[in-house]
Amino acid sequence: MPHLVDAHLNPEQLQAVNTISGPLLIIAGAGSGKTRVVTMRIAHMLETGIPQNAILALTFTNKAAREMAYRIRDLTGKKLTSLTVSTFHAFGVNILKESIRHLGYRENFTIYDTTDQISLIKETAREIKFHLESAELSKLVNLFSAVKTGRTDWSSVNEHFRSLYEEYQIHLKLYNAVDFDDLIQLPIRILEGFPDVLAGYRERYRYLLVDEFQDTSKNQYRLMKLLADGARNICAVGDDDQSIYSWRGANYDNIVQFERDYPELLEIKLEQNYRSTGTILAAANGVISHNRNRKHKELWTGIESGKPVELFFPENEQAESEFVARMIKNLAQRENIRYEQIGVLMRTNSLSRTVEEAFLSMNLPYKMSGGTSFYERKEVKDLISYLRVMANPDDDMSLLRVLNTPRRGIGRRSLEQIVALAERRRESLYSAISALCHAAASPLPDRNKADLSSFLEIIEKYQPLFLEKRKKLAAHLKELVSEIDYWGHLVQEFQKNDKIAKWKYRNIEYFIQSLEQWEKDPDNANPSLYTFLNRITLQSRDDLADEDDRGKVNLMTIHAAKGLEFDIVFLLGVEEGIIPHARALDESEENIEEERRLFYVAITRAKEKLYLSSCRRRKIMREVLECTPSPFIEEIPAELVEIREDEDPVDVAEAEDYFARIRSTLAGRD
DNA sequence: GTTCCGTTTTTTTTT
DNA sequence: AAAACGGAAC
């Protein structure tokens, strides 16, 4: 294997790359070259003649999956059309597409995201007259998820919600819809209940790899184990110190369970860090050593110690953002750092707002990954709901959304009657509407009947068009948008602010354009409406803009930054209550360890230089509050930190910026 | 019965 | 600051 010899792998890495069969656990510390090892290992497997389609690599985010597939392709120089690199959830969708009939659903099922789940819970509560406090709602989503995935059972929680949960489940099935948890749960039920289906998968996928293993939930582990127990060639790669998804059911115990389930496994620890300077690594080690619940490991680096960690105390969040923006401009000018090598990280999405404003006003190009997804914007979601109704008319939640959007005069009263009828006949709203419109003696006045019919006609007209496979989805959607006069709807809804209306319409155009791009892509094997819809609900966050990422500063949450690295990292809002987050702590004091891991992940993203900033005051909701620096700051060994407290760093930066500008103007003249 | 307007509430992280 | 909800106007 010529490239592997050339690759300068350390002995542990080499062993990991060369161990292809049998169970393997790789504990890979931050920056220990994990991605390199994983991709080379797969390349090596291919070189030894293992067919592409026998390999299944599972990741957590689409970004990670794409990145891995890309790196393997790059390494082997091959196209690799039948290699499966996919997220757990996307893989679940594939199993469901093949076999969901076994469970009594139809293949055109709709996937509900969290927003849809919340509306469904509300709707269900209304129907069974279950009184809900609005504060309970988001907790309920978590509770239902915990129940569904077996993290909790009813005996240990408030039994009170049980009937609501059961009704929620009944509705999902009635709508032919599944939620995110079902994407793991239902495949498990299929594989456990139908041995021949399981045998098929085991026969095909003889080599499994699970990345970010510390973030697998109990169910994902169960799914993985079902698939792996045929050939038992299973490689799990992870780092317990980077486990930051326990709130989503990720379970550190899976590492222990893995050792128990595969006693013959080989365990390899990668402890040499190739990413960060000695200072940054020492800071990270100092922090993480305060966690009690961890596997012992000591990361070390051969890289020299480098520059100190710099700590700033800006007056408020505006000053913080402006400071970062100026600092970045300076770095770009004086040290020739490229924007895409800079990461600006924060604990919560809401902190990004001020930063974006500052960057915008200073003309600093950036890209925010995470935040409200493009697909969650109302106008886009409206169109998606139309498409979902075309794909699966029984999807009541989507139907409710578009039934009176744009306004068609179908109000509460009509709706009540439709809902009552659907309830009585135990069928979907669509069927009920259809029945109401076609019945000779209708209980509705003629006017309402006409309104409903006009809606029905639109669906009936477009449904067959959207289901044909002629790569004309975008064209049909364009037509639909003009037929329902969505533009007129926007103008009417935003009479006072036509800028907003225009902006929203541009989003619509952008959405249609991205659909067109997707369906016209020659590499796209199956450009059907179903595939498109499934794809975008799973994609929800990051993604989209691919090519033009270069030359932009990366703005993101710490969660979104996992697996990435930057020359320079700014971590904002390092304040008590933000990191560790107050809500996490009042849920349970034990969460402090996970918050600390989050802080650790943020630090270890930096290769050369780390800046921390902790505001003295910050506006939270609409109050300005005094802030205390995060207790984690003190866990960094003091000698590594340089505090910029007194002098006003903004002025310094401004002065430098000023001179730099003069210099470059003069340079430009001759 | 439907729409409009003013009041209240909300922000942890993601598939 | 924006969305979602509930009550009053049309």
Side-chain angles (χ1 to χ4, degrees):
Chain A
M1 272 136 280
H3 3 341
L4 297 182
V5 175
D6 292 345
H8 300 299
L9 295 167
N10 69 33
E12 292 78 24
Q13 290 177 325
L14 196 63
Q15 191 185 19
V17 168
N18 285 327
T19 308
I20 287 177
S21 42
L24 174 65
L25 174 62
I26 305 176
I27 302 289
S32 60
K34 182 196 72 177
T35 312
R36 207 160 141 252
V37 166
V38 165
T39 50
M40 290 186 81
R41 185 170 178 274
I42 292 179
H44 180 198
M45 289 163 82
L46 293 170
E47 280 179 36
T48 61
I50 294 170
Q52 290 175 37
N53 66 6
I55 301 174
L56 171 62
L58 294 171
T59 63
F60 284 82
T61 61
N62 298 299
K63 208 192 238 166
R66 231 181 5 211
E67 177 74 12
M68 194 189 292
Y70 171 78
R71 300 261 303 249
I72 298 169
R73 248 176 266 144
D74 200 43
L75 215 55
T76 55
K78 295 196 188 113
K79 263 207 126 179
L80 306 177
T81 43
S82 62
L83 179 74
T84 315
V85 182
S86 149
T87 63
F88 265 100
H89 289 84
F91 187 68
V93 172
N94 283 336
I95 296 183
L96 294 184
K97 249 192 292 190
E98 300 275 315
S99 320
I100 200 168
R101 280 209 173 258
H102 289 299
L103 302 178
Y105 293 76
R106 279 151 282 131
E107 286 86 0
N108 61 340
F109 59 89
T110 305
I111 302 169
Y112 279 3
D113 63 22
T114 314
T115 327
D116 302 319
Q117 274 185 65
I118 291 178
S119 348
L120 176 52
I121 294 175
K122 270 188 211 161
E123 189 59 30
T124 312
R126 197 171 314 168
E127 226 166 81
I128 64 168
K129 309 237 159 40
F130 193 105
H131 182 72
L132 270 186
E133 302 286 326
S134 61
E136 288 173 329
L137 257 175
S138 55
K139 281 187 191 151
L140 270 186
V141 175
N142 290 332
L143 174 67
F144 285 9
S145 167
V147 169
K148 183 173 278 191
T149 58
R151 272 177 279 150
T152 322
D153 59 13
W154 289 112
S155 61
S156 64
V157 292
N158 200 339
E159 186 89 19
H160 176 61
F161 294 115
R162 189 172 186 159
S163 59
L164 185 60
Y165 174 76
E166 276 158 10
E167 202 62 27
Y168 165 82
Q169 265 318 112
I170 290 172
H171 279 83
L172 273 180
K173 182 117 189 218
L174 181 64
Y175 303 163
N176 198 32
V178 299
D179 61 22
F180 279 139
D181 291 318
D182 285 331
L183 295 181
I184 310 297
Q185 206 61 21
L186 299 182
I188 291 176
R189 264 171 56 197
I190 292 171
L191 296 182
E192 286 182 345
F194 301 88
D196 47 324
V197 179
L198 177 60
Y201 280 98
R202 283 185 174 172
E203 208 167 296
R204 169 162 179 190
Y205 295 110
R206 284 180 292 107
Y207 294 87
L208 258 72
L209 185 140
V210 177
D211 193 17
E212 307 284 12
F213 184 63
Q214 74 282 356
D215 288 330
T216 40
S217 63
K218 275 208 164 115
N219 287 303
Q220 286 167 328
Y221 182 81
R222 199 158 139 208
L223 179 59
M224 177 204 90
K225 188 163 182 298
L226 273 169
L227 293 167
D229 274 355
R232 287 175 90 81
N233 297 318
I234 165 79
C235 169
V237 192
D239 176 7
D240 49 312
D241 286 335
Q242 293 186 67
S243 161
I244 54 177
Y245 284 95
S246 68
W247 48 275
R248 212 175 75 191
N251 197 332
Y252 161 77
D253 294 344
N254 283 343
I255 296 185
V256 180
Q257 190 60 43
F258 189 70
E259 290 165 340
R260 223 175 288 150
D261 286 339
Y262 300 90
E264 75 273 31
L265 70 76
L266 176 67
E267 182 172 329
I268 298 174
K269 276 189 189 171
L270 303 179
E271 292 176 301
Q272 181 174 1
N273 174 297
Y274 294 93
R275 178 188 292 153
S276 310
T277 64
T279 300
I280 289 168
L281 200 61
N285 280 338
V287 169
I288 201 67
S289 66
H290 288 76
N291 271 4
R292 294 200 51 229
N293 188 9
R294 62 187 289 251
K295 238 178 147 63
H296 180 76
K297 69 176 114 26
E298 193 68 41
L299 279 186
W300 58 278
T301 178
I303 303 173
E304 60 190 30
S305 60
K307 296 175 209 156
V309 176
E310 258 176 90
L311 177 58
F312 293 92
F313 294 98
E315 180 53 34
N316 57 31
E317 72 273 18
Q318 270 89 16
E320 178 180 55
S321 298
E322 279 164 31
F323 161 75
V324 172
R326 268 177 241 260
M327 213 56 198
I328 290 175
K329 287 215 149 173
N330 276 344
L331 287 165
Q333 271 177 4
R334 291 186 299 148
E335 296 182 36
N336 235 345
I337 304 272
R338 283 179 297 147
Y339 287 148
E340 72 263 26
Q341 294 171 331
I342 299 175
V344 180
L345 311 187
M346 49 219 124
R347 171 71 237 262
T348 66
N349 280 307
S350 56
L351 298 185
S352 75
R353 190 187 201 116
T354 334
V355 185
E356 290 190 72
E357 277 165 17
F359 282 17
L360 238 30
S361 81
M362 289 183 63
N363 260 328
L364 191 62
Y366 71 90
K367 140 185 102 140
M368 173 77 203
S369 31
T372 348
S373 147
F374 177 73
Y375 301 116
E376 270 161 37
R377 296 192 177 142
K378 277 169 285 28
E379 60 279 15
V380 178
K381 191 92 195 221
D382 282 346
L383 291 201
I384 292 176
S385 297
Y386 269 102
L387 293 179
R388 282 179 167 185
V389 173
M390 306 288 173
N392 171 20
D394 292 335
D395 172 0
D396 280 10
M397 295 315 352
S398 300
L399 188 120
L400 281 174
R401 183 173 185 112
V402 297
L403 186 58
N404 203 28
T405 315
R407 295 188 195 286
R408 297 191 174 83
I410 305 171
R412 202 182 62 205
R413 199 56 231 217
S414 312
L415 196 57
E416 268 169 17
Q417 295 201 33
I418 299 167
V419 171
L421 182 66
E423 261 301 271
R424 256 201 323 274
R425 302 172 42 145
R426 304 217 119 255
E427 57 181 24
S428 68
L429 291 179
Y430 186 81
S431 316
I433 293 173
S434 196
L436 276 172
C437 286
H438 294 126
S442 162
L444 287 175
D446 283 353
R447 173 134 173 241
N448 291 339
K449 200 172 154 183
D451 292 334
L452 276 179
S453 296
S454 76
F455 174 75
L456 210 54
E457 272 164 29
I458 290 176
I459 305 300
E460 282 170 354
K461 172 176 170 192
Y462 282 91
Q463 191 180 27
L465 296 177
F466 278 111
L467 295 186
E468 63 190 22
K469 291 188 177 169
R470 292 175 45 213
K471 301 202 175 198
K472 288 171 76 179
L473 295 177
H476 294 319
L477 183 56
K478 225 178 259 177
E479 218 180 296
L480 173 68
V481 168
S482 77
E483 176 147 353
I484 60 178
D485 190 23
Y486 200 84
W487 171 242
H489 164 69
L490 287 176
V491 170
Q492 204 216 336
E493 294 287 298
F494 298 94
Q495 290 165 7
K496 287 165 202 145
N497 196 338
D498 65 329
K499 263 193 193 151
I500 295 187
K502 275 186 192 142
W503 187 69
K504 290 191 179 255
Y505 199 74
R506 286 214 41 202
N507 282 337
I508 300 252
E509 289 178 321
Y510 186 56
F511 175 66
I512 297 177
Q513 201 187 316
S514 76
L515 167 57
E516 187 162 16
Q517 249 172 39
W518 174 83
E519 69 177 342
K520 297 267 160 76
D521 182 349
D523 289 341
N524 183 350
N526 182 15
S528 77
L529 181 61
Y530 304 135
T531 329
F532 179 70
L533 290 174
N534 290 344
R535 182 170 169 274
I536 60 179
T537 32
L538 288 183
Q539 224 180 23
S540 48
R541 304 271 161 181
D542 61 304
D543 300 318
L544 282 165
D546 258 357
E547 267 312 300
D548 50 350
D549 285 0
R550 269 178 293 164
K552 293 181 180 172
V553 176
N554 298 285
L555 217 62
M556 61 185 83
T557 63
I558 302 174
H559 283 90
K562 194 160 69 139
L564 305 179
E565 58 180 27
F566 304 100
D567 286 351
I568 298 185
V569 167
F570 292 87
L571 181 59
L572 308 187
V574 191
E575 293 140 36
E576 173 117 61
I578 294 186
I579 182 163
H581 200 276
R583 301 247 321 210
L585 290 190
D586 57 45
E587 211 171 76
S588 156
E589 280 291 317
E590 286 168 28
N591 284 339
I592 187 89
E593 296 220 339
E594 173 140 328
E595 295 292 307
R596 187 177 282 115
R597 287 193 293 268
L598 219 32
F599 191 61
Y600 172 80
V601 167
I603 295 177
T604 52
R605 299 309 95 197
K607 288 156 88 172
E608 284 165 20
K609 177 89 190 176
L610 174 66
Y611 296 93
L612 305 177
S613 119
S614 169
C615 289
R616 295 170 192 280
R617 269 168 278 277
R618 178 183 294 277
K619 196 161 150 192
I620 293 170
M621 294 212 225
R622 51 177 181 271
E623 272 178 309
V624 178
L625 299 175
E626 297 283 328
C627 301
T628 321
S630 164
F632 295 149
I633 291 178
E634 292 186 2
E635 297 178 357
I636 302 176
E639 69 274 14
L640 307 174
V641 183
E642 196 164 277
I643 298 178
R644 294 277 189 95
E645 199 166 2
D646 300 311
E647 86 212 73
D648 186 348
V650 173
D651 279 357
V652 175
E654 200 168 32
E656 277 162 354
D657 188 26
Y658 176 65
F659 285 118
R661 255 199 317 248
I662 291 179
R663 273 200 300 277
S664 71
T665 324
L666 291 176
R669 288 237 172 96
D670 48 47

